Amino acid sequence: MTTLTAAPPLKTPPFHLTGNYAPVSDEVTLHDLQVTGALPPELNGTYVRNGPNPRNGPTPIWFLGQGMLHGVRLQAGRALWYRNRWVDALTTSNTHVVRHAGKLLALVETARPVVVSDELETLGPCDFDGALTHGMTAHPKTCPSTGQLLFYTYSLQPPFLTHYRADPSGELTATVPIQVGKATYMHDFAITPRHALFFDLPVLFNGWREPMPIQWSDTYGARIGVLPRHGGGGDVRWFTITACTISHTVNAYEEGDRIILDVVRGPRLEAPTCLYRYTLDLRTGEAQEARLDSLHVDFPRIDDRLTGQPHRYVYALELRDIVNGAPTSSLLRKFDLATHRSVAHDFGPGRVGGEAIFVPRLQSSDEDDGYAITYVYDGNRNASELIVLDAADFGAPALATVLLPRRVPYGIHANWFPTGKAE
Ligand SMILES: [Fe+2]
């Protein structure tokens, strides 16, 4: 007699292993890509985006996957190549990619950077000639006026927060421990010409209790620390704010004795996030907060030449129609903070964009005179594209579309690296 046993219940796979979050299994190099429209001939450089792409089997959480870089090189109106490469390192290095002192650095939250070549091949770890004893945030800031790279790391052990400065040649010139109460999750920070700003928020590390290593605290409180750029850890002034999470900084700048700080803020973990503005009064020690817009957005970017200076325009991704934890459509938004309006770029049904990078037009200093560039996944053909928009005519059809014959999985942060430019 045969005993029938119940089949195990079907389990819905996690979002990061399905659809266009699912990893790709190989590295490819593809030349002379098909382009529709006209690539601006002045766009000479590489758009590179990082993201988790598990290499040795599925990971339980999306952000634990090994980093993979996806790049498209543009030159003189042509799309020369697409290539994808794992970051071949002991750390996941899956979150961002920046350039400093002539080196491309693949970054993750709290580990040392990994140097990669312009062709995205891993060259090795970077510890600033032994001076960087801990890690580097995935969101360092390049000061446009000094060329310095400012960053920090947070740690599970005291000092929980350490600020660093590196000069334009890549030498680490300052290490500044900063006192905070506990090990808090601090994904981003901000700089102005005179200050560095840190977010000590009620998201605490919990010893890796499933499903996340961090959790919300109803009692820790929330504050923004303002450190003079050349000060010591004891010089931080703390501004108390309403409990919240800050996923990403838009920018910060100074107006007399006030610091204006724009961020993407949520009321607590895993809640929708919106654009917010904090005004920190250095005379009174008080902070004011105001919501700039009610749309749910993240991945904010500005014209990076304005880091630390007043900005008017913000590019961000509005994720919509979430199914099984993943967006099935999206809009890119360009916010005009002077008129309090936004313009959408709609990619169309089944098409999802990523972080958009503003690339200024050559010889132009106007804030929105340039291009917005991003990857778009087209679910209709299960493949991706690199899209070039006119930033000043944001809702118009793309100026150019580089058609890739395969998909680029959804990822995290991107940057544009002009060819032949050292910084
Ligand atoms: Fe980030």
Side-chain angles (χ1 to χ4, degrees):
M1 182 177 171
T2 304
T3 302
L4 295 175
T5 55
L10 288 173
K11 209 172 166 187
T12 305
F15 77 88
H16 68 282
L17 300 176
T18 63
N20 194 44
Y21 277 98
V24 294
S25 59
D26 57 353
E27 299 175 334
V28 300
T29 304
L30 305 168
H31 292 281
D32 293 322
L33 306 164
Q34 183 184 350
V35 178
T36 60
L39 282 169
E42 64 179 326
L43 279 177
N44 292 310
T46 313
Y47 178 88
V48 184
R49 205 223 57 214
N50 203 346
N53 194 96
R55 186 171 199 163
N56 300 312
T59 53
I61 299 175
W62 184 49
F63 60 74
L64 294 182
Q66 190 66 35
M68 178 176 272
L69 299 167
H70 300 261
V72 172
R73 169 74 57 83
L74 306 182
Q75 182 176 300
R78 294 172 56 211
L80 294 190
W81 52 252
Y82 159 81
R83 65 183 74 204
N84 65 314
R85 294 291 185 274
W86 271 289
V87 184
D88 190 11
L90 295 175
T91 57
T92 54
S93 308
N94 62 16
T95 306
H96 209 341
V97 56
V98 303
R99 180 149 64 187
H100 183 67
K103 294 178 179 171
L104 285 191
L105 305 175
L107 303 173
V108 70
E109 208 63 22
T110 58
R112 293 191 184 103
V114 174
V115 184
V116 299
S117 72
D118 287 352
E119 283 70 41
L120 311 184
E121 305 290 348
T122 298
L123 300 177
C126 166
D127 65 0
F128 292 82
D129 295 324
L132 182 66
T133 54
H134 292 83
M136 176 191 281
T137 170
H139 284 286
K141 310 294 180 201
T142 300
C143 176
S145 56
T146 66
Q148 291 174 312
L149 190 73
L150 290 93
F151 58 97
Y152 64 93
T153 194
Y154 58 83
S155 167
L156 298 181
Q157 308 296 329
F160 298 120
L161 174 62
T162 306
H163 174 49
Y164 301 97
R165 285 192 299 273
D167 71 12
S169 72
E171 182 183 349
L172 198 70
T173 54
T175 299
V176 183
I178 295 173
Q179 188 82 30
V180 294
K182 290 188 176 179
T184 61
Y185 171 64
M186 198 178 298
H187 182 64
D188 205 346
F189 83 132
I191 63 168
T192 70
R194 295 192 299 143
H195 298 97
L197 281 63
F198 303 93
F199 312 142
D200 188 28
L201 304 177
V203 181
L204 309 183
F205 285 90
N206 62 13
W208 202 279
R209 286 200 291 272
E210 296 290 345
M212 292 280 281
I214 53 177
Q215 68 184 67
W216 177 263
S217 167
D218 287 325
T219 57
Y220 186 76
R223 55 188 192 158
I224 297 172
V226 178
L227 171 70
R229 284 269 287 262
H230 298 288
D235 297 323
V236 178
R237 291 183 65 187
W238 292 101
F239 292 73
T240 300
I241 61 172
T242 307
C244 66
T245 64
I246 293 176
S247 65
H248 289 109
T249 299
V250 175
N251 192 26
Y253 57 92
E254 301 185 17
E255 276 185 352
D257 290 326
R258 299 187 308 168
I259 294 175
I260 311 299
L261 166 67
D262 289 353
V263 300
V264 172
R265 174 198 185 277
R268 56 190 302 130
L269 266 180
E270 296 177 333
T273 53
C274 301
L275 290 176
Y276 266 73
R277 171 163 293 182
Y278 290 95
T279 302
L280 310 177
D281 191 321
L282 296 171
R283 290 170 303 169
T284 66
E286 292 184 352
Q288 291 185 328
E289 71 179 37
R291 194 175 69 179
L292 295 175
D293 194 278
S294 61
L295 291 171
H296 296 154
V297 297
D298 204 350
F299 296 94
R301 297 294 295 244
I302 61 165
D303 179 343
D304 287 334
R305 296 173 300 180
L306 297 177
T307 299
Q309 301 296 327
H311 59 277
R312 176 172 175 177
Y313 302 107
V314 182
Y315 308 90
L317 195 63
E318 181 186 353
L319 298 172
R320 308 191 307 173
D321 305 324
I322 306 293
V323 176
N324 190 23
T328 57
S329 71
S330 70
L331 298 176
L332 266 186
R333 287 269 173 191
K334 177 187 176 186
F335 293 89
D336 183 338
L337 302 183
T339 63
H340 305 287
R341 293 172 182 269
S342 68
V343 178
H345 185 93
D346 190 343
F347 299 111
R351 292 163 55 80
V352 179
E355 183 170 60
I357 307 304
F358 174 81
V359 181
R361 201 182 299 275
L362 286 180
Q363 316 298 338
S364 175
S365 58
D366 290 350
E367 186 176 344
D368 71 342
D369 189 11
Y371 311 98
I373 304 180
T374 186
Y375 284 127
V376 171
Y377 168 69
D378 185 349
N380 307 303
R381 65 181 189 98
N382 193 30
S384 297
E385 302 163 357
L386 185 79
I387 301 270
V388 179
L389 305 178
D390 181 347
D393 192 6
F394 200 70
L399 294 173
T401 299
V402 179
L403 293 161
L404 304 178
R406 56 189 257 150
R407 65 187 181 85
V408 175
Y410 298 137
I412 310 183
H413 294 296
N415 260 322
W416 168 259
F417 301 107
T419 302
K421 191 176 176 187
E423 298 300 327

